[in-house]
Amino acid sequence: MNRIAQTFDEALKNGRKALIPYITAGDPTLEMTKRLVVELAGRGADIIELGVPFSDPVADGPTIQRASLRALQAGTTLRAIVQTVAEIRQQARIPIVLMTYYNPIIAYGIPAFCWEAARAGVDGVIVPDLPPEEAGDLTAACREQGMASIFLVAPTSTVERIRLIDQHTTGFVYCVSLTGVTGARSRLAEGVEDFVSTVRAHTTHPLAIGFGIATPQHAAAAARLADGVIVGSAIIDVMERSPDADGLVTRVGEFVGSLREAF
Amino acid sequence: MSSVTLPDAAGHFGIFGGRYVPETLMSALEELTAEYERAQRDPAFQEELRYYLTEYVGRPTPLYHAARLTDTLGGARIYLKREDLNHTGAHKINNTIGQILLTKRMGKPRVIAETGAGQHGVATATVAALFGFECDVYMGTEDMERQALNVFRMRLMGARVIGVESGSRTLKDALNEALRDWATNVRHTHYIIGSVAGPHPFPMLVRDFQSIIGREARAQILEKEGRLPEALIACVGGGSNAIGLFHSFLEDASVRMIGVEGAGFGLHSQHAATLGKGAPGVLHGSMSYLLQDEHGQVQVAHSISAGLDYPGVGPEHSYLKETGRAEYTSATDDEALDALQLLSRTEGIIPALESAHAVAHAMKLAPVMRKDQVIIIGLSGRGDKDVQSVAKYLEKRGQGSGIRGQEKQ
């Protein structure tokens, strides 16, 4: 069992839900990313999702688009992110999954990427523009290296597709809470209860809900439905409002702490 | 598998094509594929399509023997497939008519589109007006400036033009934003992609709707010349007019197929020669050649022509390049400007800057061919939309207003 599945397993045994904060790697620098991961691990995060910046992030709203742009302008590459994970591993054991569009992996080379990422201590990958139908090469290489390959379901997914995704995913199923792109919303998507219970009825893996979750109240509501909660854009919003580097780490830590306390 | 029967059921042309999109869009793509298959078998759909192409678009378009251009170049006999004579002034409407009829069948009340030169945006706004659909068109703000006339045309027909400020503010970014809109509104919105790019089934269905260009051209050349041409030349941005022209000739091994990309300032500078200088990768839903850096970040393309200014290309072109069935070359901004002026002066036809790239290649190829040989150029659109920016470029090049008559006064 890989460490992602283990994390959900342990959380479940202890009667708690997994908190999965997302930050874009290299925003504003990879040094800051290291500090943030350590901070988030200390604030009760169970898994860290590290976004890999991409020039054309079609699944992302304006907040993560801006974060991507800042990271790219700082010269962040997938290779450097893998290296950064290796450095983080000297300070923190928390499971890390990379959220990356497919093309940076193709350019890296699928086998080379999986081999090097696994050795650096990456526990899994989420590729938002890679549905299971096209993912054979990547899932095989991930399996070989003991990394999870996590697939997403959406409110528009048919029951057939939900089953297909459950067959292919490892670690957990990522439930996209809304029909749209990433970004904090003023309320939890309508119909999310029905959606998650449909997914639950046709899957065997733990479920984590992401997209649009902005506040501790949203997170608490989502946690009642699923096994884990993913919060991304709202954290980046906090970063953007922070005046300086030290303030940024503290504020993000406090925000994630408040999410942890909510469920 | 012969290339005429591609793509396979999952939308692959060899290793190219496929469906690389967020899960949110997968069901809509499955629905569209199923609806398209039903429509193809439905005589009523085919009849409605034929009706609008004939009565509204004005097909068939002429295959015109460009006698003065032929004489000037002094080689092969040149024919122009006059897609510029379609309603709205380009080949784009062949596809938008087909897709709006599909949208109607799917019962979705809203359409969106991306546009670079504005021709696809205009063609989408046109069919949305014709059938009473709500229509939003995404366009990079850089392109809105270059193609102000087309922005006004779209608005006049009731479409909303949404300026895209992200990235390079051109076609690539308009596509990103249209995909985000589609992911958000997919339940009641159809995305009318304008080229043979994007996730399956778009490269297939746009090709099918555009292949009327080559079907007509093949029959017309057989009637006029009694034989097939030696070469077809068409410009390639996403590549819909080129695929449209090429497709009926795929199995005619004697016919060379030449796609012309935008070489911009030159292949060692900024350009849009995706097939010439790119590498395979995934962008906008399919695997195809791509202009990218070593880390897989997509690079900004440059071409004088907003319609060719795109770092990707349709997956079937990547396949035709790999198999060697088609050849791909490029023409620079300057060569396109020269070609635009030459065709205007010799034939009284002002081509779109996109189509001028195809003419530019014919200027190189025709003189080295025999006079009994035949070239067909895909004249994908007319140049009215470009005259302002052409005047600006010619000014910069020191040709004054570029109008010879004025210099003689």
Side-chain angles (χ1 to χ4, degrees), chain A residues 53-58 60 65 72 77 102-104 106-107 128-129 131 134 152 154-158 161 165 179-180, chain B residues 12 18-24 26-27 30 172 176 179-180 183-184 186-187 281-283 290 292 294-298:
Chain A
F54 183 52
S55 52
D56 297 83
V58 294
D60 289 302
Q65 287 178 45
L72 287 175
T77 65
Y102 195 29
N103 203 53
I106 297 173
D129 60 346
E134 302 285 357
L152 304 92
T156 50
S157 301
T158 56
R161 292 201 58 79
I165 287 156
T179 307
Chain B
H12 295 116
R19 260 183 202 150
Y20 297 84
V21 292
E23 173 61 25
T24 308
M26 288 297 286
S27 297
E30 288 173 358
K172 158 180 102 86
N176 289 341
L179 282 168
R180 291 181 188 118
T184 305
V186 61
R187 291 179 201 275
V282 165
L283 177 70
L290 193 56
Q292 55 182 321
E294 56 175 314
H295 303 291
Q297 304 295 342
V298 180

Side-chain angles (χ1 to χ4, degrees), chain A residues 153-157 162 174-178 190-201 207 209:
Chain A
V153 296
T156 50
S157 301
I162 292 171
Y174 189 135
C175 300
V176 176
S177 78
L178 48 81
E190 224 167 282
V192 67
E193 293 88 354
D194 291 345
F195 163 56
V196 176
S197 65
T198 304
V199 177
R200 185 73 86 188
L207 308 182
I209 303 183

Side-chain angles (χ1 to χ4, degrees), chain B residues 23-240:
Chain B
E23 173 61 25
T24 308
L25 295 175
M26 288 297 286
S27 297
L29 294 171
E30 288 173 358
E31 178 196 3
L32 177 62
T33 307
E35 192 59 51
Y36 178 58
E37 279 164 11
R38 278 192 293 274
Q40 274 181 308
R41 290 192 303 268
D42 180 355
F45 177 86
Q46 296 304 332
E47 175 50 31
E48 201 176 9
L49 180 61
R50 191 206 58 77
Y51 171 82
Y52 283 102
L53 289 176
T54 310
E55 302 294 327
Y56 186 74
V57 176
R59 302 205 71 90
T61 59
L63 183 72
Y64 166 71
H65 176 214
R68 288 218 335 124
L69 179 67
T70 298
D71 286 348
T72 306
L73 296 177
R77 212 159 33 245
I78 298 173
Y79 284 85
L80 305 175
K81 181 56 177 166
R82 298 288 310 274
E83 292 301 300
D84 60 317
L85 292 178
N86 285 326
H87 177 47
T88 72
H91 71 292
K92 291 292 185 187
I93 199 163
N94 301 330
N95 167 44
T96 60
I97 286 276
Q99 287 204 48
I100 202 81
L101 294 177
L102 282 176
T103 311
K104 206 169 68 159
R105 287 175 68 104
M106 292 187 291
K108 293 182 171 180
R110 175 176 178 258
V111 292
I112 56 172
E114 85 296 339
T115 198
Q119 290 303 104
H120 174 60
V122 166
T124 303
T126 300
V127 297
L130 176 65
F131 289 95
F133 285 78
E134 188 188 344
C135 176
D136 286 336
V137 178
Y138 289 91
M139 189 169 189
T141 49
E142 157 104 18
D143 288 339
M144 287 177 73
E145 229 168 86
R146 285 196 276 193
Q147 309 284 347
L149 177 66
N150 274 343
V151 174
F152 186 66
R153 291 168 77 193
M154 288 184 263
R155 288 179 173 154
L156 210 49
M157 290 184 284
R160 206 154 58 118
V161 181
I162 303 171
V164 177
E165 282 287 353
S166 59
S168 56
R169 299 181 292 133
T170 61
L171 181 54
K172 158 180 102 86
D173 311 287
L175 245 149
N176 289 341
E177 214 45 47
L179 282 168
R180 291 181 188 118
D181 179 312
W182 201 30
T184 305
N185 301 298
V186 61
R187 291 179 201 275
H188 69 277
T189 297
H190 175 63
Y191 178 15
I192 301 188
I193 288 188
S195 195
V196 286
H200 179 64
F202 286 106
M204 172 182 77
L205 76 84
V206 176
R207 173 199 70 196
D208 292 351
F209 289 136
Q210 291 295 359
S211 62
I212 191 164
I213 301 172
R215 272 203 308 280
E216 285 177 8
R218 196 173 183 283
Q220 288 165 322
I221 200 71
L222 286 174
E223 194 191 309
K224 287 173 199 291
E225 292 280 340
R227 63 185 188 84
L228 293 169
E230 271 66 29
L232 309 173
I233 306 177
C235 64
V236 176
S240 68

Side-chain angles (χ1 to χ4, degrees), chain A:
Chain A
M1 188 189 292
N2 70 59
R3 301 205 314 140
I4 308 289
Q6 255 171 28
T7 303
F8 276 98
D9 229 40
E10 276 162 30
L12 204 66
K13 270 186 214 143
N14 300 324
R16 58 184 233 146
K17 304 296 173 78
L19 172 60
I20 310 175
Y22 165 102
I23 53 174
T24 299
D27 169 30
T29 63
L30 284 169
E31 271 313 304
M32 179 58 80
T33 301
K34 272 194 268 184
R35 286 182 67 184
L36 283 171
V37 170
V38 173
E39 173 75 15
L40 297 177
R43 293 281 191 167
D46 295 289
I47 296 171
I48 302 284
E49 199 181 310
L50 272 190
V52 175
F54 183 52
S55 52
D56 297 83
V58 294
D60 289 302
T63 305
I64 294 181
Q65 287 178 45
R66 283 196 302 275
S68 266
L69 193 63
R70 284 191 298 266
L72 287 175
Q73 282 167 348
T76 309
T77 65
L78 181 51
R79 274 174 203 286
I81 292 168
V82 168
Q83 179 57 37
T84 300
V85 172
E87 291 163 22
I88 288 170
R89 282 289 168 249
Q90 295 163 8
Q91 299 173 65
R93 291 197 62 244
I94 188 166
I96 294 175
V97 299
L98 296 186
M99 171 97 154
T100 176
Y101 289 87
Y102 195 29
N103 203 53
I105 296 182
I106 297 173
Y108 202 121
I110 293 170
F113 164 72
C114 288
W115 198 85
E116 289 174 24
R119 256 138 212 83
V122 173
D123 296 285
V125 292
I126 305 171
V127 186
D129 60 346
L130 188 67
E133 284 91 333
E134 302 285 357
D137 292 348
L138 184 65
T139 50
C142 280
R143 206 178 306 121
E144 218 165 275
Q145 302 299 335
M147 279 200 300
S149 42
I150 295 143
F151 289 93
L152 304 92
V153 296
T156 50
S157 301
T158 56
V159 167
E160 292 73 40
R161 292 201 58 79
I162 292 171
R163 290 201 182 112
L164 176 79
I165 287 156
D166 189 52
Q167 281 163 22
H168 284 79
T169 203
T170 45
F172 65 93
V173 172
Y174 189 135
C175 300
V176 176
S177 78
L178 48 81
T179 307
V181 294
T182 60
R185 307 290 204 274
S186 57
R187 42 191 264 200
L188 218 50
E190 224 167 282
V192 67
E193 293 88 354
D194 291 345
F195 163 56
V196 176
S197 65
T198 304
V199 177
R200 185 73 86 188
H202 300 285
T203 52
T204 55
H205 289 86
L207 308 182
I209 303 183
F211 281 44
I213 296 169
T215 66
Q217 291 74 32
H218 294 172
R224 281 194 287 278
L225 305 171
D227 308 300
V229 178
I230 302 161
V231 180
S233 297
I235 293 175
I236 293 166
D237 287 337
V238 171
M239 290 171 67
E240 289 184 340
R241 286 196 300 268
S242 301
D244 56 50
D246 290 330
L248 189 155
V249 174
T250 312
R251 285 192 192 196
V252 168
E254 282 167 2
F255 178 63
V256 170
S258 74
L259 294 171
R260 178 75 274 175
E261 279 160 26
F263 61 90

